[in-house]
Amino acid sequence: MKVIFLILELSFIISKEVENWLTNEETLDINLLEYNNYNFYANLEINQRITVFITFDSEKYIFQDNSLTFYEFKDNNDYILKSNAPFTKIKEGNITTLVAVYIASELKTKFIDFKITPSTNIRDATIHVNIYKNNIPRKIVETFLRESEIINLNEFSSLYFYKFKLTAGYNSKARLELIFDTKRHNYKNFYLSHIFEYQYNKIQKILYLPNTVTKQGNKTILTISHPVADAFTTSVVFQLVPSYSENNVNILGFEDKEKSEYKNILFLDYSLKLTSMYPSIYYYIMYPIKTYQTDQIKLRISNITSFDYYSQPVDVYECWYDSFGTCKKIKSQKFTMTKNNDSTIFLESYYQNKNYSINHIVFAFKPLYNFYDVAITGSIRENDPEPEPDPEPDPEPEPEPDSGSSGTVVLVSIISSCIIISIIVVVVLYFFIKKRRSKEINFDKRNSIGNNFLLNE
């Protein structure tokens, strides 16, 4: 019988509910015993904020929860909203303080409840609450984010409760980007940063949103990304209450499919509009081209993104058909950058097609930075074909005489030959006669000498 009584007593202890009502600036010293449920209540209405501080000796005790669950009630019956607020841990020596901040978001909310169920004993704990009741209601700014646009807020202020809604479905990521005109670090501090998943206007879940920070030139890009795992989710709402005020903040939201490639076949002179381009994606842009044409691509990027100088590598592919599977990379080069008042332009105009079988060209690149408000245009310039080298000239043949002049030539040839022959004959006869006469003279002389000789004898 004692054993049964002990079991019943333990069961009563395990299921014991401890309720406490808290007021602004109230501090409660309490022993949090394991297996007990501690409920804390506070009057809180829409847009009012409560900050909960839980302090304990972390060298003796371990508090294992990473967040504090809040429930919003309109009466004493069932809650109308449930949300988890993450803890911020502050450690000073052996004392650890957990801080959770929550803002009521439902119009009908009258009070809130948060529950602590320790898994181990935590003695000498302190719970303190600050409740901020604004003299004027905090203004709610609701904006539907379309994927094809970037909105600009002249003021992003801690006086407002921002709700950014966008369409997002199963197996995608709802992504929110805030682009700040500052290098200061207080931009990432929010009083509240949650996301609501909606299923045909029914709230499914509320989660704390971690964020990542990217610095780019004189811009700071804050990215909040939430994976949608529920097949019935149709849209999400980001709820933000900044702890600061900034001017000129650009905001965009979209459904991120986490693709690694973007491919598009475009017509010449058509301007492709992209809200954003990211270094995680490889972009392939194809255009038609003919032989001896020069193809070029222009990227116009809004001044949301700033940098002093930028050189973008780009790969050039030749294609035999309007299909990316028929393309072959031929070279890598760079876009050259020029800047004007409202855009940055990367211009490529150095490719010329000299192959009759190539009818498309692809420019492929992975941005080195985030680009926003992008317009991509392809254009063509027709060039004169390069002249082929002249072949070696053949020697010109001598002109053939016509029939009228051939007879004259023959006659002149005959006369010339006769004259030459006559001259030769005359010369030969002259030398022959001269020689003969010389012989006769010598003979006469010899006879005369002989006669004289005989006479003298």
Side-chain angles (χ1 to χ4, degrees), residues 141-145 149 151 153 162-166 237:
V141 179
E142 296 190 57
T143 305
F144 181 77
L145 300 176
E149 68 178 358
I151 65 171
L153 297 180
Y162 296 92
K163 294 184 178 182
F164 300 108
K165 183 177 181 179
L166 60 88
V237 174

Side-chain angles (χ1 to χ4, degrees), residues 82-100:
K82 175 183 177 182
S83 178
N84 294 322
F87 280 123
T88 298
K89 183 182 293 187
I90 302 173
K91 189 172 183 180
E92 296 180 353
N94 64 323
I95 302 300
T96 295
T97 302
L98 303 177
V99 184

Side-chain angles (χ1 to χ4, degrees), residues 70-226:
F70 288 87
Y71 301 83
E72 294 188 31
F73 288 84
K74 66 177 180 179
D75 50 38
N76 292 327
N77 296 320
D78 294 336
Y79 62 87
I80 57 176
L81 193 62
K82 175 183 177 182
S83 178
N84 294 322
F87 280 123
T88 298
K89 183 182 293 187
I90 302 173
K91 189 172 183 180
E92 296 180 353
N94 64 323
I95 302 300
T96 295
T97 302
L98 303 177
V99 184
V101 180
Y102 185 78
I103 297 178
S105 61
E106 291 297 311
L107 183 62
K108 297 179 180 180
T109 298
K110 298 301 180 183
F111 65 93
I112 57 102
D113 165 31
F114 61 91
K115 181 185 297 186
I116 299 175
T117 305
S119 57
T120 59
N121 291 329
I122 303 176
R123 298 185 180 275
D124 299 321
T126 299
I127 296 178
H128 176 85
V129 296
N130 289 336
I131 300 174
Y132 299 90
K133 296 183 178 181
N134 301 323
N135 294 329
I136 57 174
R138 182 184 297 271
K139 182 179 179 181
I140 299 177
V141 179
E142 296 190 57
T143 305
F144 181 77
L145 300 176
R146 297 177 178 83
E147 290 201 18
S148 59
E149 68 178 358
I150 299 173
I151 65 171
N152 180 271
L153 297 180
N154 292 328
E155 182 184 19
F156 190 62
S157 172
S158 59
L159 297 177
Y160 301 134
F161 190 157
Y162 296 92
K163 294 184 178 182
F164 300 108
K165 183 177 181 179
L166 60 88
T167 301
Y170 173 65
N171 206 24
S172 68
K173 281 190 175 182
R175 181 163 172 165
L176 179 72
E177 290 189 7
L178 297 90
I179 306 170
F180 295 89
D181 242 349
T182 179
K183 291 183 178 179
R184 291 185 296 170
H185 293 282
N186 64 349
Y187 55 81
K188 64 182 180 180
N189 296 325
F190 293 97
Y191 289 128
L192 178 69
S193 58
H194 285 171
I195 188 170
F196 289 69
E197 288 191 17
Y198 283 84
Q199 299 176 359
Y200 304 103
N201 294 325
K202 177 184 176 182
I203 298 174
Q204 174 64 15
K205 62 182 70 173
I206 309 171
L207 301 170
Y208 166 68
L209 288 177
N211 56 67
T212 59
V213 179
T214 304
K215 293 183 179 179
Q216 185 169 305
N218 64 352
K219 306 292 181 182
T220 298
I221 304 170
L222 186 67
T223 303
I224 303 172
S225 186
H226 168 69

Side-chain angles (χ1 to χ4, degrees), residues 222-414:
L222 186 67
T223 303
I224 303 172
S225 186
H226 168 69
V228 179
D230 199 302
F232 296 97
T233 298
T234 58
S235 63
V236 298
V237 174
F238 296 92
Q239 289 194 356
L240 301 176
V241 179
S243 59
Y244 53 91
S245 293
E246 290 288 353
N247 297 324
N248 189 32
V249 178
N250 291 286
I251 298 175
L252 72 155
F254 56 93
E255 185 179 22
D256 188 2
K257 296 293 186 179
E258 290 194 303
K259 56 187 177 183
S260 60
E261 291 184 350
Y262 174 89
K263 295 182 177 181
N264 207 333
I265 303 174
L266 302 176
F267 299 105
L268 295 170
D269 298 323
Y270 168 78
S271 183
L272 173 66
K273 305 291 186 180
L274 295 177
T275 306
S276 53
M277 300 178 73
Y278 297 99
S280 60
I281 301 177
Y282 210 105
Y283 294 84
Y284 296 83
I285 309 298
M286 178 183 288
Y287 294 101
I289 192 171
K290 297 179 181 179
T291 310
Y292 292 107
Q293 285 182 331
T294 295
D295 204 345
Q296 61 188 13
I297 182 173
K298 296 179 181 179
L299 276 71
R300 287 184 173 84
I301 303 168
S302 77
N303 58 7
I304 292 177
T305 304
S306 64
F307 34 76
D308 295 329
Y309 181 78
Y310 180 65
S311 181
Q312 171 66 57
V314 59
D315 296 328
V316 181
Y317 290 76
E318 290 181 338
C319 309
W320 285 262
Y321 302 99
D322 58 346
S323 171
F324 290 96
T326 65
C327 302
K328 180 181 179 181
K329 179 181 174 181
I330 59 168
K331 64 176 179 177
S332 296
Q333 50 195 29
K334 291 182 181 295
F335 285 137
T336 56
M337 183 185 74
T338 59
K339 296 180 71 174
N340 55 30
N341 293 331
D342 59 356
S343 65
T344 301
I345 301 174
F346 300 95
L347 172 63
E348 159 57 33
S349 60
Y350 303 105
Y351 170 81
Q352 186 180 51
N353 181 25
K354 299 179 181 179
N355 191 336
Y356 286 94
S357 61
I358 299 300
N359 54 33
H360 283 79
I361 187 74
V362 169
F363 297 98
F365 62 97
K366 179 179 284 190
L368 297 183
Y369 295 98
N370 290 4
F371 292 163
Y372 297 96
D373 243 359
V374 183
I376 302 177
T377 305
S379 58
I380 212 79
R381 186 175 70 248
E382 186 136 8
N383 300 321
D384 295 331
E386 293 183 354
E388 297 182 359
D390 294 332
E392 291 293 331
D394 295 331
E396 295 183 1
E398 295 182 1
E400 297 181 0
D402 55 26
S403 58
S405 61
S406 60
T408 304
V409 172
V410 172
L411 179 61
V412 171
S413 299
I414 294 174

